[in-house]
Amino acid sequence: MIKRLDEFIEQHRKEVYLLLRRLHQLGRTLLLKSEIEHECNQFCSSDSGKNLKNTPFEKLMLRTEVAALQFPWLYFSVRVDIGKWEFYRFHLENVSFNEVTVAEYLKFQESIVNHQTTEDDWTLEVDLGAFNRRFPTMKEKKSIGNGVQFLNRHLSTLLFSKKGEGDKKIFNFLRVHSYNSHQLMLNHRIKSVEELQEQLREAVAILNDQDASTVWTQIEETMQDLGFEQGWGRTVARIKETMELLIDIFEAPDPAILEKFLSRLPMLFRIVILSPHGYFGQSNVLGLPDTGGQVVYILDQVRALEREMNISLTNQGLDLEPEILIITRLIPNAGNTTCNQRVENVIGTHNAKILRVPFRNESGEIMNDWISRFDIWPYLERFANDAEKEILAELGQRPDFIIGNYSDGNLVATLLAHKMGVTQCNIAHALEKTKYLFSALYWKDNEEQYHFSSQFTADLIAMNAADFIITSTYQEIAGTRQSVGQYESYNAFTMPALYRVVKGVNIFDPKFNIVSPGSDPKVYFPFWEDALRLTELHDELEQIVFGEPGSDGRGQLKDPDKPIIFAMSRLDHVKNITGLVEWYGKSDRLRELANLFLVAGHVDINHSNDDEEKQQIDKMYHLLDEYDLYDQVRWYKNQSDKNLVGELYRYIADRRGVFMQPALFEAFGLTVIEAMVSGLPVFATHYGGPLEIIQHGKSGFHIDPNYGESVTQQLIDFFERCQEDNQYWRAIAEGGVKRVEERYTWKLYASRLLSLARIYGFWKYVSNLEREEIARYLEMFYGLMYRKLSSF
């Protein structure tokens, strides 16, 4: 590319100069991709710039994510492709350019923020890629998010490359399985790989003469004499099949067979799930500060995991109860929630609990009140230490698997997994770094309010320490061709005067896997399943949707016969509910066609403790007044009764309405799949998970929240077409239900997550997946950087 650009610029010096000068004259030190695209397209469409159209230089400009400008220099960060970056600098006066390193680009950004350059540069430079150069990474962008398949193929080849080495490691791995000191899989009678192979063949021969439905207890003595213990399966059919898989692995190793075999092993009995921030409870918490979809996600996740673990243990021939602990924060002053209870059983499970541990200040005193997720960093290390003691007391021993949630939970999971030697999985849900423009570059300006320095440092540590990471969508990891993924944004960045990251997170690392959540099928199901409907709630729902203004709601829908545009979320800037109201208010035609119904946050500003929500409440009232919307918009307080919410989706569907998700960015979008599976056509942002969930025009519609007029036109076109074609609304509704049932269920999620835990746990045991060198570096980074930043 360098040579082609060099030759091109030499031939088109004038046009290149004029475009670069145009960018400089904007008077900005940092330009975003959208701004660069706009200026480039405008210039290339003019007579002065037409020679740049469809050229290597225009291609470079359109692939630039950020331009940093300080006369006479222009530095460009160019996203050549997903996960692949190049950096260039141009000298305006000489119209010359050269490629620079990522460090040089970041230094230039720092000089803009600091308003000075320095030759004596001793800023800490973080290069975590240096520790992974010998570790296998994927090359193709289509492979991102399918890490376990790649890892299995690559490490299986290495494991069995030396005759007998892989067989011995598998043998040793099978010997370590036990439950409460009771040996599983193999006993002392089998002392070598050769003996194992011989006994497997003899066992299969015996099993061939047994009825397939015969259970383990009926053949236990025979199997134990051969050297086998419980764990191979409950029935002869299952036991035989599992043993034959292992025989095949010893005979001719195959990654697919190895994965299937590992997925059957009795490795998971006790799971710990971390979610420290917000109010974690089962009722009266949704809509409270820092409390939303993650609570619903984790509770549904736990129920699904317990069901799947029970199925696995039954199939393995073990009559055991799995244990799951959700570790969260105890809040003594918890209002009308249960967040002040130390232990709470998870409703809908047999043996899952919420275990709450308080935050303590530096003198050890318990913190009684809620603390914002942006301010909790000084408390997490002590919280992790206390949580470890509570976990061991509750379970009686260490867990088998730890799952972190969000930045804070992932850091605590890292600390616990490190101390306990347990397989660790991280789930980010959403990363603050991509929510706020130039949040790392201008971290100092936001430090008092957001403490980004602690958070981004914690993210770097936890992401690189985790054994594996799951995301709901591909976009969370790698974005799209047009947008940068959340994890990709951690590849390279700088926090001036603190440290610069030249290689932070590699999205081609095989630790990334896509495991999409689902919705509770008992609560969210199609509106046409009449026998399951909660029609007894319809009088209450009528009051909620159409009722008179009061303390719980504002506005009253004057024309109840019109279809309803329904939106439900937290009331914050990113969710963009006020943006939807503004689009609606500006469109006379849309107001003629449909009503707008909102379930979002508090409707009384005096009931909110969240500054951002208060700003949105104030804006909401301003918009309702400005466009005189009180007889066309109904705004109701946030709802935490999910059964009522499930019937609300169907109630709106009865009236041929739609669900709108207008967020500026949505990591996944649980409400999107809840609405879809309820049979409600969905319009949702194409920034984030909904782009993958929805098949545009078949199971819903994508919208661009940056272009409100376009969104309103999409809605107008939809409602007008529904008036002309009676079958169109139903076709989209059925398409949404079909899409969710095929791809987004908790059963699929739980099965896949448990399989990943077993496979990564195996590779961690038999290989150097712990990556000792990077672990030691992360310990140092934590001790010298994070602890200093997060101190009281």
Side-chain angles (χ1 to χ4, degrees):
M1 189 172 182
I2 287 283
K3 185 177 180 181
R4 289 166 58 204
L5 273 175
D6 208 21
E7 293 172 352
F8 179 83
I9 292 173
E10 191 68 32
Q11 296 169 9
H12 297 86
R13 186 181 188 278
K14 174 184 174 181
E15 292 90 341
V16 170
Y17 166 76
L18 290 173
L19 176 55
L20 296 179
R21 185 173 184 274
R22 181 185 181 116
L23 296 178
H24 252 303
Q25 287 186 318
L26 294 174
R28 305 269 301 282
T29 55
L30 294 166
L31 295 178
L32 296 171
K33 180 183 180 67
S34 58
E35 297 169 313
I36 298 166
E37 282 183 354
H38 175 75
E39 295 300 325
C40 184
N41 288 333
Q42 290 260 314
F43 181 74
C44 292
S45 297
S46 68
D47 290 338
S48 299
K50 61 185 178 181
N51 289 334
L52 295 187
K53 196 73 176 172
N54 300 319
T55 64
F57 187 77
E58 185 198 36
K59 187 177 181 181
L60 181 141
M61 290 290 105
L62 296 180
R63 288 185 175 178
T64 297
E65 287 295 327
V66 177
L69 297 79
Q70 191 170 35
F71 190 82
W73 294 106
L74 300 90
Y75 279 63
F76 295 90
S77 64
V78 181
R79 190 170 181 246
V80 180
D81 202 349
I82 288 173
K84 297 179 181 178
W85 295 75
E86 294 175 357
F87 303 89
Y88 297 90
R89 71 172 182 175
F90 289 81
H91 193 281
L92 182 59
E93 293 179 326
N94 296 335
V95 195
S96 61
F97 90 104
N98 63 286
E99 189 171 3
V100 296
T101 65
V102 58
E104 289 171 322
Y105 171 79
L106 295 175
K107 286 179 185 178
F108 187 73
Q109 281 194 328
E110 292 161 11
S111 71
I112 289 175
V113 174
N114 296 330
H115 305 295
Q116 62 181 4
T117 59
T118 175
E119 296 299 321
D120 184 24
D121 179 20
W122 281 96
T123 297
L124 172 64
E125 201 164 273
V126 179
D127 182 2
L128 296 171
F131 296 98
N132 293 321
R133 285 177 183 145
R134 290 181 295 175
F135 194 82
T137 56
M138 299 174 290
K139 305 297 181 186
E140 300 298 326
K141 60 186 178 184
K142 66 181 180 181
S143 299
I144 294 171
N146 295 308
V148 74
Q149 289 93 332
F150 172 86
L151 192 70
N152 249 354
R153 288 195 303 270
H154 185 89
L155 293 185
S156 293
T157 301
L158 293 178
L159 184 66
F160 296 102
S161 59
K162 293 183 180 178
K163 186 173 177 59
E165 184 176 312
D167 297 345
K168 187 174 182 181
K169 287 187 175 182
I170 290 177
F171 170 65
N172 290 332
F173 181 69
L174 293 176
R175 295 177 70 184
V176 302
H177 292 296
S178 64
Y179 179 82
N180 289 351
S181 302
H182 177 72
Q183 188 64 35
L184 303 174
M185 304 300 289
L186 303 179
N187 61 39
H188 66 279
R189 290 181 174 85
I190 298 178
K191 297 181 173 60
S192 67
V193 174
E194 291 74 23
E195 286 184 23
L196 174 57
Q197 290 174 303
E198 182 179 336
Q199 298 300 76
L200 283 169
R201 287 190 287 269
E202 186 171 344
V204 168
I206 292 172
L207 294 173
N208 283 333
D209 295 330
Q210 299 286 327
D211 186 272
S213 61
T214 300
V215 295
W216 170 268
T217 53
Q218 295 174 271
I219 59 170
E220 184 171 17
E221 288 188 17
T222 302
M223 291 293 105
Q224 285 179 332
D225 288 342
L226 292 173
F228 300 109
E229 297 290 340
Q230 283 179 294
W232 294 90
R234 178 166 296 274
T235 65
V236 162
R238 179 83 175 190
I239 297 165
K240 180 171 170 283
E241 191 176 84
T242 305
M243 288 182 169
E244 287 176 337
L245 287 172
L246 185 55
I247 290 172
D248 289 342
I249 291 168
F250 286 145
E251 183 68 24
D254 178 87
I257 295 175
L258 180 62
E259 179 174 340
K260 187 174 181 180
F261 175 72
L262 294 174
S263 297
R264 291 169 170 243
L265 296 186
M267 298 168 59
L268 302 175
F269 311 101
R270 308 171 185 88
I271 295 177
V272 166
I273 298 173
L274 278 301
S275 183
H277 77 252
Y279 290 81
F280 197 101
Q282 298 179 83
S283 60
N284 301 324
V285 297
L286 296 182
L288 293 176
D290 295 340
T291 310
Q294 88 273 15
V295 175
V296 177
Y297 178 107
I298 293 169
L299 290 173
D300 284 345
Q301 174 197 55
V302 165
R303 296 183 184 103
L305 286 173
E306 187 188 69
R307 284 194 296 269
E308 200 61 32
M309 289 172 75
N310 274 316
I311 291 171
S312 294
L313 291 170
T314 298
N315 289 337
Q316 290 157 0
L318 304 174
D319 296 317
L320 302 173
E321 282 278 347
E323 296 178 86
I324 302 178
L325 291 180
I326 302 171
I327 307 299
T328 189
R329 185 198 164 196
L330 185 141
I331 307 173
N333 296 335
N336 66 337
T337 75
T338 57
C339 296
N340 56 359
Q341 295 181 14
R342 177 182 173 272
V343 178
E344 183 181 355
N345 294 326
V346 176
I347 298 167
T349 69
H350 294 289
N351 206 20
K353 299 175 183 177
I354 301 170
L355 175 61
R356 298 186 178 93
V357 179
F359 283 170
R360 298 178 184 272
N361 63 20
E362 56 186 330
S363 61
E365 298 170 319
I366 291 176
M367 304 302 293
N368 291 316
D369 298 315
W370 166 83
I371 298 171
S372 164
R373 72 184 187 276
F374 295 114
D375 299 323
I376 65 176
W377 304 104
Y379 303 95
L380 294 183
E381 184 176 312
R382 178 72 175 263
F383 176 81
N385 291 334
D386 291 345
E388 180 188 15
K389 297 170 188 173
E390 297 276 7
I391 291 166
L392 293 175
E394 193 69 32
L395 297 179
Q397 57 189 290
R398 70 177 190 173
D400 306 301
F401 182 37
I402 289 178
I403 304 171
N405 291 274
Y406 280 94
S407 297
D408 47 286
N410 288 332
L411 181 70
V412 176
T414 298
L415 297 175
L416 289 172
H418 179 68
K419 293 181 72 173
M420 295 180 166
V422 178
T423 301
Q424 174 194 352
C425 167
N426 285 357
I427 310 174
H429 298 283
L431 294 164
E432 303 290 343
K433 186 172 178 293
T434 54
K435 289 184 181 179
Y436 300 86
L437 189 61
F438 299 126
S439 54
L441 196 57
Y442 289 99
W443 69 275
K444 284 186 178 180
D445 297 342
N446 298 298
E447 189 67 0
E448 184 175 351
Q449 181 176 3
Y450 294 122
H451 302 290
F452 285 146
S453 66
S454 295
Q455 181 161 354
F456 300 165
T457 304
D459 285 336
L460 267 183
I461 292 168
M463 289 173 188
N464 283 282
D467 295 299
F468 68 100
I469 295 170
I470 67 168
T471 69
S472 299
T473 64
Y474 179 95
Q475 285 190 78
E476 283 182 60
I477 311 169
T480 66
R481 190 64 191 85
Q482 290 73 40
S483 61
V484 178
Q486 291 188 70
Y487 281 96
E488 188 180 1
S489 74
Y490 281 81
N491 176 59
F493 63 94
T494 182
M495 302 178 77
L498 189 61
Y499 60 81
R500 76 176 64 97
V501 179
V502 297
K503 193 66 176 179
V505 174
N506 181 6
I507 62 172
F508 292 94
D509 192 306
K511 69 172 57 182
F512 287 102
N513 292 273
I514 300 167
V515 185
S516 301
S519 60
D520 187 340
K522 295 178 182 178
V523 176
Y524 306 103
F525 51 84
F527 70 88
W528 54 77
E529 295 188 10
D530 294 329
L532 302 176
R533 296 282 303 265
L534 297 171
T535 53
E536 296 82 359
L537 299 177
H538 282 200
D539 288 343
E540 182 179 350
L541 290 175
E542 184 176 358
Q543 177 64 29
I544 289 173
V545 177
F546 297 107
E548 297 179 359
S551 60
D552 293 337
R554 297 291 187 271
Q556 186 174 15
L557 304 180
K558 182 176 68 175
D559 185 352
D561 294 328
K562 289 193 293 189
I564 294 171
I565 302 167
F566 172 37
M568 179 174 63
S569 75
R570 295 192 312 273
L571 194 57
D572 61 25
H573 170 70
V574 173
K575 294 298 184 182
N576 197 34
I577 292 294
T578 54
L580 171 60
V581 174
E582 187 167 11
W583 303 338
Y584 181 81
K586 288 180 176 180
S587 175
D588 292 338
R589 179 56 178 156
L590 185 57
R591 292 167 66 173
E592 290 175 12
L593 288 167
N595 291 314
L596 179 60
F597 173 58
L598 311 168
V599 175
H602 294 284
V603 296
D604 186 338
I605 198 168
N606 296 313
H607 293 164
S608 176
N609 295 318
D610 186 278
D611 290 339
E612 189 171 349
E613 184 183 52
K614 287 180 179 180
Q615 293 172 4
Q616 293 296 305
I617 293 171
D618 188 61
K619 185 176 180 180
M620 183 78 85
Y621 280 112
H622 174 77
L623 291 168
L624 293 173
D625 290 335
E626 180 181 359
Y627 295 105
D628 190 21
L629 296 173
Y630 285 99
D631 59 359
Q632 292 176 306
V633 173
R634 173 74 168 165
W635 171 27
Y636 201 78
K637 69 176 184 179
N638 194 50
Q639 294 298 294
S640 58
D641 183 341
K642 68 177 187 177
N643 287 294
L644 183 140
V645 169
E647 190 60 29
L648 177 57
Y649 285 124
R650 294 184 288 270
Y651 184 84
I652 302 294
D654 289 337
R655 285 151 181 77
R656 294 300 185 263
V658 301
F659 183 77
M660 170 61 75
Q661 213 281 26
L664 302 176
F665 178 83
E666 183 62 52
F668 180 64
L670 277 176
T671 56
V672 170
I673 61 172
E674 288 170 1
M676 288 171 68
V677 82
S678 300
L680 194 55
V682 173
F683 290 73
T685 180
H686 68 188
Y687 294 110
L691 181 64
E692 295 175 38
I693 297 171
I694 294 170
Q695 296 166 302
H696 185 72
K698 295 182 179 179
S699 56
F701 303 91
H702 301 139
I703 66 164
D704 187 338
N706 295 309
Y707 299 94
E709 290 184 5
S710 173
V711 177
T712 55
Q713 191 59 52
Q714 283 180 266
L715 287 165
I716 291 167
D717 292 344
F718 176 80
F719 286 121
E720 289 180 340
R721 182 168 176 181
C722 289
Q723 290 178 347
E724 298 168 2
D725 180 356
N726 291 331
Q727 300 304 312
Y728 184 61
W729 186 94
R730 179 79 181 212
I732 299 298
E734 291 178 348
V737 172
K738 184 173 183 287
R739 177 70 170 171
V740 173
E741 290 179 344
E742 288 178 348
R743 295 284 297 274
Y744 302 101
T745 71
W746 280 114
K747 180 172 178 56
L748 290 172
Y749 172 98
S751 176
R752 188 58 177 160
L753 179 54
L754 294 174
S755 178
L756 291 173
R758 295 183 183 102
I759 294 166
Y760 280 93
F762 168 76
W763 288 119
K764 181 174 183 174
Y765 180 85
V766 304
S767 70
N768 189 30
L769 261 192
E770 292 188 68
R771 312 182 197 187
E772 293 178 6
E773 295 87 352
I774 196 170
R776 295 296 293 162
Y777 182 84
L778 292 174
E779 287 174 15
M780 181 181 68
F781 194 49
Y782 176 88
L784 298 180
M785 183 59 70
Y786 173 81
R787 296 188 86 213
K788 178 181 176 182
L789 293 171
S790 63
S791 61
F792 287 99

